[in-house]
Amino acid sequence: MLTKVITIHKQKPEKELIQQAADQILAGGIVAFPTETVYGLGANAFDEKAAMHVYEAKGRPSDNPLIVHIADFEQIRDVAKHVPKSAAMLMKAFWPGPLTIIFEKNQNIPDSITGGLSTVAVRMPANQIARDFIRACGVPIAAPSANTSGRPSPTRASHVLEDLNGRVHAIIDGGEVLLGLESTIVDVCHEKPRVLRTGFISSDEISDVIGMPVEDKKNKVHQEEVPLAPGMKYTHYAPKAILYIVDRTKFQKETLEPLMDSIKKDGKKAAIVGTLEHADFYSKKTFFSLGSRQDDEEVAKNFYHVLRQLDEQQIEVAYVEDLSDLPLGNALMERLEKAAGGRHL
Ligand code: TXA
Ligand code: MG
């Protein structure tokens, strides 16, 4: 399959180019497109066969459901059985934006998209190209992140091309994304609302809007294990390098330099990943900067790109600064823990 790259202007998306991409979807194809969080790999959410192609292209296990993306509020009726009051409040407060809400699904949505679940995850992205594209398709768009299953999520069209060239019909290149971490996922179908994946919108912000406590991993209302989004059990966001998360107290020259030296002696390539405030300590060649601690949104935006750079430079072992004290620390660490397979120094 030949993958067509369609470059579209971020602020003023060209109508005819958007239509070209939408035509691929309407012909049953799969198209990667930018959202404000990460790039998605889209298919017509009513088309079971197209959805299967998404799973194939990503190498994604079929029990891991997709998020359905809509362009306008009314479109929720095509996807959800009904809209609970708390969901309506969240839609009003946070849509369009980086919040995915779980609904009871209506019969239009094939089981293959929801991994056999009776619920469906829905999001209205804030990115102008994404909304114009979904609107031009005229159907809701099922889209996981546009990476090969298990790899870091794509924040640039070049990342999508790296993973999926020849496996998708088209890629809309809308430049680098705005945020760089996947949406927060919240489940308000059950009596106790809970956050299944952390992102830019925190459980406290959600709790303020719906006027109820919201369970998340750090803030459990009850002791039982929080059931995660089905996808969260798989290896995620991982570069090929073995990553170690390094406590801030140990993230210093004295600790890391001897370790780096012994890895180099074994003939392996090692790297340090951290915030700009530490850049001075290390030679430029082995230090990968996430950006300044003063700007955690910049750190979030760079996060997946830096993980991909480790692969590009064939790094085999990397020591990564613990980021939990940043305002976006929960969201960043949820992903870093997965990428590192829970390894700490
Ligand atoms: O920001 C985002 O959410 C990006 C962009 C493209 O919108 N999408 C994204 O999709 O991150 P994906 O497929 O990489 O992650 C979707 C997550 C998975 O962990 C999946 O298990 C969960 O959402 N999910 C989907 N449907 C669900 C459902 N009905 N119940 C619980 N979790 C669900
Ligand atoms: Mg993903």
Side-chain angles (χ1 to χ4, degrees):
M1 176 193 303
L2 195 71
T3 299
K4 184 169 189 184
V5 177
I6 306 172
T7 303
I8 296 187
H9 197 283
K10 241 182 198 175
Q11 274 85 35
K12 283 187 243 134
E14 298 88 339
K15 251 194 171 150
E16 12 15 289
L17 297 179
I18 293 276
Q19 194 56 49
Q20 263 184 36
D23 288 345
Q24 296 278 359
I25 292 286
L26 294 173
I30 55 178
V31 175
F33 62 100
T35 81
E36 76 279 29
T37 57
V38 299
Y39 273 75
L41 176 56
N44 178 350
F46 298 146
D47 182 345
E48 189 142 22
K49 235 182 173 171
M52 268 171 51
H53 290 146
V54 168
Y55 282 96
E56 264 166 36
K58 275 184 64 98
R60 180 175 176 120
S62 62
D63 66 343
N64 189 359
L66 311 181
I67 294 176
V68 173
H69 296 67
I70 60 176
D72 297 287
F73 284 95
E74 308 81 68
Q75 220 174 2
I76 191 67
R77 286 195 228 122
D78 302 337
V79 183
K81 208 180 209 169
H82 54 90
V83 176
K85 208 169 152 214
S86 47
M89 291 193 263
L90 291 173
M91 288 161 67
K92 190 158 179 254
F94 298 115
W95 280 8
L99 182 70
T100 295
I101 305 172
I102 309 286
F103 295 87
E104 293 294 332
K105 82 174 181 76
N106 82 13
Q107 63 212 22
N108 299 336
I109 301 294
D111 284 341
S112 54
I113 281 182
T114 62
L117 296 175
S118 61
T119 54
V120 60
V122 188
R123 175 164 116 75
M124 190 198 290
N127 180 291
Q128 191 61 49
I129 294 177
R131 305 252 318 273
D132 285 2
F133 169 59
I134 301 165
R135 230 173 253 142
C137 293
V139 289
I141 296 295
S145 50
N147 51 287
T148 306
S149 197
R151 292 213 72 211
S153 295
T155 55
R156 304 172 182 201
S158 60
H159 298 162
V160 182
L161 208 56
E162 255 167 47
D163 283 14
L164 299 176
N165 194 9
R167 306 177 73 85
V168 302
H169 296 97
I171 299 172
I172 300 178
D173 184 348
E176 195 180 359
V177 300
L178 185 71
L179 302 177
L181 299 179
E182 304 87 343
S183 60
T184 303
I185 304 179
V186 65
D187 183 351
V188 288
C189 286
H190 299 89
E191 234 174 87
K192 288 180 224 129
R194 60 199 161 194
V195 166
L196 306 181
R197 181 173 71 188
T198 316
F200 278 82
I201 294 168
S202 69
S203 54
D204 291 342
E205 285 174 277
I206 293 171
S207 174
D208 282 350
V209 168
I210 63 176
M212 262 191 276
V214 176
E215 211 166 282
D216 70 7
K217 264 162 256 145
K218 74 168 172 29
N219 171 30
K220 271 192 207 168
V221 179
H222 293 281
Q223 270 315 303
E224 78 263 31
E225 199 39 48
V226 181
L228 300 174
M232 301 303 274
K233 68 176 184 271
Y234 296 107
T235 322
H236 258 83
Y237 320 125
K240 291 177 189 111
I242 295 173
L243 303 186
Y244 291 92
I245 301 169
V246 186
D247 228 59
R248 288 207 71 205
T249 54
K250 294 188 200 155
F251 199 79
Q252 47 178 303
K253 218 171 175 170
E254 292 71 29
T255 317
L256 296 183
E257 251 178 16
L259 289 170
M260 298 282 285
D261 287 344
S262 81
I263 293 167
K264 271 183 222 152
K265 258 191 213 135
D266 289 345
K268 288 190 173 165
K269 275 185 99 174
I272 294 172
V273 178
T275 51
L276 200 58
E277 281 74 3
H278 293 282
D280 287 349
F281 290 123
Y282 310 106
S283 72
K284 281 216 170 67
K285 253 169 83 184
T286 51
F287 187 76
F288 290 73
S289 173
L290 290 163
S292 167
R293 299 188 73 82
Q294 304 307 314
D295 185 356
D296 66 326
E297 293 193 4
E298 189 62 28
V299 172
K301 189 156 141 167
N302 290 334
F303 180 72
Y304 286 129
H305 179 62
V306 167
L307 293 189
R308 281 179 178 264
Q309 278 183 321
L310 297 178
D311 281 351
E312 227 166 79
Q313 311 270 324
Q314 282 135 16
I315 301 296
E316 292 164 278
V317 181
Y319 297 99
V320 189
E321 180 180 348
D322 186 304
L323 302 166
S324 46
D325 59 325
L326 295 181
L328 281 169
N330 285 335
L332 284 159
M333 289 307 285
E334 186 173 296
R335 286 150 181 92
L336 182 53
E337 288 283 357
K338 286 215 157 63
R343 271 180 299 263
H344 284 253
L345 187 68

